[in-house]
Amino acid sequence: MCGINVIWSKGEITNITERIQKMNSSLRHRGPDATGIYKDQNIVLGHRRLSILDTRELSNQPMHSNDNIWHIVFNGEIYNFEEIKEHLNYNFSTNSDTEVILAAVKEKGIDWFIKQANGMFAIALYNSETKKLYIIRDRLGIKPIFYYNDEENLIFSSEIKAILSSGLVEAVFNEEAVDEYLANRYVRTPFTFFKEIYQLDPGTYLCIDKDFNITKNTYWDIPKAFNMSNQYNEDAILKEFDIELNKAIKYRLISDVPLGTYLSGGVDSSLITAITALNKKEKINTYTIGFQEFNEFEYSNIIAQKYNTEHHEILMQKEDYISNWEKLIKFKDAPLGVPNEIPLAVMSSKLKEKITVVLSGEGADELMGGYGRIYRAPFDYENEAPKIDFYDFFISKYDYVPRSMRDQFISTPTNYRQKYDNELRAEFNKASNEENVFKFFHKYHVKGLLQRVDMTTMQASVEARVPFLDHKLIEFSYRNIPYDLKLKWTSATAKEEARKGNSNKYSEILDIPKYLLRGLSYKYLPREIIERKKVGFPVPLTEWFKNLESLAFELLPKASWLKEGMVNDLIEKSKTESRAGQILWMFINIELFRRNYFQKDWRW
């Protein structure tokens, strides 16, 4: 795991070496172990290294092919690099996955390499002979890559702060992102909170020539197949699923530095911990965090004892939460999206004392239908027969801050809302409602979780790996696991009984979300872990509402994106929502972020 930077200019840039060094310095948290640059005329590549595989200096980056034509900076891991290596006839000088990328691209080409690669990655590859630059992002968008293009200068980086640190870009607040963030808790690709700074779409790569002609190639998307079969052999599918999940987790155990797991005590993290412990000879470190008001220590301890882990409990105070809030916004270069980002970051800083790689459970709910109430939207829609289309019905349940509330309080444009509404409504018309919900969560929702896991771990120089987002596992799930084994009714009569209410009342009572995953868990976990109700990772914001209210009165009267004189109304309206604390927290986040980035001149 690392940080990568690129500056490429049509003309000469003064101090280009100093600029890339400043970019590298701004990413020191992503890679404290080494720094390096490569320059060829008006292009320069920069790298910060967090050593995971082949920790020798020989594997530092930028790295160059043995004919000195290909040059790479790379953030991430290629888990199957040893398998790829077997197909190559290359004189290797390291044991790193980075050199395997260079060798594969040199001998077989970009497309061959990408097709073979199983991993998480943001890669910049430059060919000094053809003068072409390739920027590649992994299939799910686990690793970030941002860019700026003003037709004269192209700048790429793992983080926006590095693009700003180049001194070539002005920070301009993107008001259109406000509505988008309040709906989704993050800003969907390709946009960001900065005008003219964009995210590269997952599953794509750019090819750029010396005249700055850019070709965008899409090499992967959410699978087209979606299994709705009612005829299946549950035992056979369960065995296959066990094999595929074990394969995904085992891939993510390759490391030349200490490794551990997050262990909340829920099914997902407990299952990862169990399979990891069974496949590691040494005792693994596990970590959990909670608050006095709420924690799951009792459940995480059950798994820690069962698998004899070196377990660490972290109790977080309200004061720790508030003091870390603004600091973490500066790492993320965006408003925080989920309140538990702060405890996750604190936990990551603690685990860095003993380990550098951590396995995390993001993606399990998206894989198997874990958000029971909203995944049952197709059933509720059919049952309630509202006079709106399914997309409008679904999005009214999904949007975090309701549309009516956003329209009431914010003064910014809603262009992104209209853009995505039009695109998604057209997409939803092409498939079943059940399929649409699963694909929406994989294509959009999980990206916000990935931004969370990248920031919270990388700010502490820790690499997070997410086995439930292995692309082969996702393809297997869409193709081989019937919908009925993801969300299963508890009995033959449960479905009819559910028609008397909606998913807020029957979810996890009359049905079993993540049914097959829970079924597999009985092989590894105690019953009390599997059969308890899903609780997520709550932060007691509603209990702390008075503190949030004080912050709102301090910050929000100055917010240009908020309608004038609406702060009192916003606070009162927030109190009527079930997510009262979090909604007010999100509004405060925007202004905390804005005051940290847009009141200084970044150009030099």
Side-chain angles (χ1 to χ4, degrees):
M1 195 73 75
C2 308
I4 67 173
N5 294 308
V6 180
I7 302 175
W8 197 4
S9 179
K10 283 185 176 176
E12 280 200 31
I13 296 178
T14 55
N15 306 319
I16 193 169
T17 302
E18 185 184 350
R19 292 180 191 280
I20 203 79
Q21 285 170 341
K22 280 189 179 291
M23 291 177 74
N24 279 358
S25 295
S26 73
L27 299 185
R28 190 182 186 283
H29 53 284
R30 295 189 77 90
D33 298 327
T35 185
I37 63 171
Y38 162 80
K39 183 175 181 294
D40 179 38
Q41 297 175 328
N42 294 333
I43 187 168
V44 59
L45 278 59
H47 190 263
R48 293 290 323 201
R49 186 181 184 203
L50 178 63
S51 303
I52 305 287
L53 296 173
D54 192 349
T55 58
R56 297 173 299 166
E57 282 186 25
L58 198 60
S59 291
N60 287 352
Q61 299 178 45
M63 189 180 283
H64 317 282
S65 59
N66 51 21
D67 59 6
N68 208 36
I69 289 174
W70 286 97
H71 315 273
I72 187 173
V73 286
F74 158 51
N75 169 30
E77 302 292 344
I78 308 299
Y79 301 121
N80 64 335
F81 76 100
E82 293 283 11
E83 295 163 37
I84 295 173
K85 204 172 187 177
E86 291 172 7
H87 297 277
L88 305 173
N89 183 28
Y90 185 90
N91 184 21
F92 288 93
S93 56
T94 75
N95 298 317
S96 70
D97 53 347
T98 309
E99 192 176 19
V100 171
I101 301 172
L102 283 170
V105 168
K106 179 191 170 187
E107 292 187 2
K108 306 277 192 177
I110 297 272
D111 292 316
W112 183 89
F113 160 70
I114 292 173
K115 188 175 181 182
Q116 303 301 315
N118 186 325
M120 53 180 184
F121 44 86
I123 304 169
L125 273 160
Y126 175 66
N127 186 308
S128 52
E129 198 171 72
T130 63
K131 307 298 182 190
K132 286 186 177 178
L133 174 69
Y134 298 86
I135 305 290
I136 312 167
R137 192 174 187 195
D138 67 62
R139 293 168 179 84
L140 274 299
I142 301 167
K143 291 291 97 194
I145 189 79
F146 299 92
Y147 65 93
Y148 168 84
N149 177 12
D150 65 6
E151 307 299 331
E152 289 297 318
N153 302 307
L154 263 172
I155 307 173
F156 294 91
S157 182
S158 300
E159 295 185 11
I160 290 172
K161 68 173 62 63
I163 293 176
L164 298 175
S165 297
S166 73
L168 298 168
V169 181
E170 185 180 352
V172 181
F173 183 63
N174 181 11
E175 288 190 332
E176 294 187 74
V178 172
D179 180 69
E180 171 76 1
Y181 161 77
L182 291 172
N184 299 286
R185 300 186 285 186
Y186 82 107
V187 179
R188 288 174 284 190
T189 59
F191 306 108
T192 72
F193 260 101
F194 296 80
K195 284 186 178 178
E196 306 305 326
I197 298 178
Y198 299 95
Q199 309 173 62
L200 181 61
D201 288 324
T204 67
Y205 72 89
L206 304 180
C207 174
I208 306 152
D209 69 18
K210 59 183 174 57
D211 298 317
F212 281 23
N213 296 309
I214 301 175
T215 306
K216 183 178 176 182
N217 302 275
T218 299
Y219 67 87
W220 192 85
D221 205 349
I222 306 302
K224 287 185 170 60
F226 190 76
N227 193 324
M228 291 292 291
S229 174
N230 293 317
Q231 305 294 317
Y232 52 80
N233 182 328
E234 183 176 328
D235 289 340
I237 294 169
L238 186 67
K239 286 175 185 172
E240 286 183 76
F241 183 44
D242 191 12
I243 291 167
E244 293 298 322
L245 181 58
N246 267 270
K247 196 186 299 180
I249 292 172
K250 286 175 188 175
Y251 262 146
R252 284 153 184 81
L253 301 183
I254 59 160
S255 176
D256 294 331
V257 294
L259 174 149
T261 69
Y262 288 141
L263 178 56
S264 69
V267 171
D268 310 334
S269 65
S270 297
L271 194 52
I272 289 173
T273 297
I275 295 171
T276 299
L278 291 170
N279 284 280
K280 295 291 282 183
K281 291 176 184 173
E282 65 274 17
K283 202 173 191 180
I284 66 165
N285 282 275
T286 53
Y287 296 83
T288 190
I289 191 166
F291 298 89
Q292 200 71 55
E293 294 90 336
F294 181 87
N295 63 70
E296 297 183 275
F297 294 166
E298 172 192 351
Y299 298 104
S300 58
N301 268 312
I302 291 170
I303 301 301
Q305 288 170 21
K306 179 174 175 63
Y307 286 98
N308 191 31
T309 74
E310 192 71 47
H311 191 54
H312 309 267
E313 288 180 358
I314 304 159
L315 189 65
M316 193 171 185
Q317 306 298 326
K318 178 170 64 177
E319 293 71 26
D320 300 329
Y321 188 93
I322 302 294
S323 66
N324 278 283
W325 186 351
E326 199 161 1
K327 180 181 84 171
L328 292 171
I329 286 172
K330 293 177 190 176
F331 277 110
K332 192 173 187 181
D333 303 333
L336 303 186
V338 188
N340 63 31
E341 284 181 75
I342 298 171
L344 283 170
V346 170
M347 182 163 58
S348 297
S349 298
K350 179 68 177 173
L351 65 83
K352 180 62 179 175
E353 295 171 8
K354 293 203 169 191
I355 66 174
T356 302
V357 175
V358 66
L359 271 63
S360 189
E362 281 79 7
D365 290 316
E366 291 74 15
L367 188 74
M368 299 300 289
Y371 309 111
R373 282 175 288 186
I374 195 160
Y375 271 86
R376 280 296 185 193
F379 177 81
D380 286 351
Y381 180 74
E382 178 191 311
N383 193 35
E384 295 170 25
K387 293 179 179 177
I388 54 174
D389 67 15
F390 177 70
Y391 173 74
D392 286 331
F393 181 81
F394 167 77
I395 214 70
S396 69
K397 289 176 174 286
Y398 178 80
D399 279 357
Y400 208 82
V401 178
R403 292 186 174 202
S404 58
M405 191 172 176
R406 280 141 53 203
D407 291 339
Q408 181 182 352
F409 292 110
I410 64 174
S411 59
T412 56
T414 57
N415 296 344
Y416 295 169
R417 187 198 302 186
Q418 292 159 25
K419 166 187 157 58
Y420 287 112
D421 279 353
N422 291 339
E423 290 176 6
L424 282 162
R425 190 172 278 108
E427 285 296 314
F428 272 43
N429 287 334
K430 296 175 186 174
S432 71
N433 293 336
E434 290 82 1
E435 181 177 343
N436 285 327
V437 172
F438 269 86
K439 289 188 173 177
F440 178 92
F441 272 84
H442 262 134
K443 191 167 184 177
Y444 298 106
H445 180 82
V446 81
K447 306 304 191 294
L449 303 184
L450 290 171
Q451 287 185 7
R452 174 188 74 179
V453 77
D454 183 80
M455 181 279 287
T456 57
T457 53
M458 289 311 308
Q459 59 85 30
S461 307
V462 169
E463 174 175 290
R465 298 176 177 178
V466 282
F468 285 112
L469 289 171
D470 181 289
H471 76 278
K472 294 282 190 185
L473 183 61
I474 290 170
E475 289 167 355
F476 170 82
S477 174
Y478 274 70
R479 184 180 62 246
N480 294 68
I481 303 177
Y483 180 81
D484 190 41
L485 292 182
K486 295 173 182 174
L487 288 153
K488 191 164 184 70
W489 298 108
T490 55
S491 68
T493 59
K495 186 174 182 178
E496 287 311 308
E497 197 176 333
R499 293 192 187 281
K500 299 172 187 174
N502 61 37
S503 56
N504 290 329
K505 294 181 179 175
Y506 66 71
S507 181
E508 296 190 65
I509 296 168
L510 296 175
D511 71 359
I512 306 170
K514 294 197 292 196
Y515 171 79
L516 196 72
L517 186 74
R518 291 176 190 274
L520 175 60
S521 298
Y522 285 105
K523 178 178 174 181
Y524 299 97
L525 307 177
R527 188 172 289 272
E528 61 262 46
I529 298 295
I530 301 164
E531 295 177 0
R532 70 190 185 98
K533 198 162 184 174
K534 180 179 175 64
V535 293
F537 188 165
V539 174
L541 288 179
T542 302
E543 288 83 344
W544 301 347
F545 197 87
K546 280 290 177 193
N547 299 76
L548 295 176
E549 209 173 327
S550 300
L551 264 175
F553 279 124
E554 176 193 335
L555 293 168
L556 295 183
K558 306 164 194 169
S560 60
W561 47 272
L562 205 57
K563 288 179 181 175
E564 199 170 337
M566 297 297 280
V567 177
N568 277 315
D569 290 349
L570 171 63
I571 290 168
E572 291 308 309
K573 177 70 174 173
S574 296
K575 289 176 183 175
T576 69
E577 296 289 330
S578 59
R579 300 160 169 166
Q582 179 155 349
I583 285 177
L584 191 57
W585 178 88
M586 290 178 75
F587 278 83
I588 293 166
N589 253 291
I590 298 171
E591 197 57 20
L592 282 174
F593 159 71
R594 203 170 69 90
R595 78 178 186 182
N596 274 288
Y597 283 84
F598 303 99
Q599 295 179 2
K600 63 179 277 190
D601 186 2
W602 291 86
R603 286 182 179 270
W604 55 275

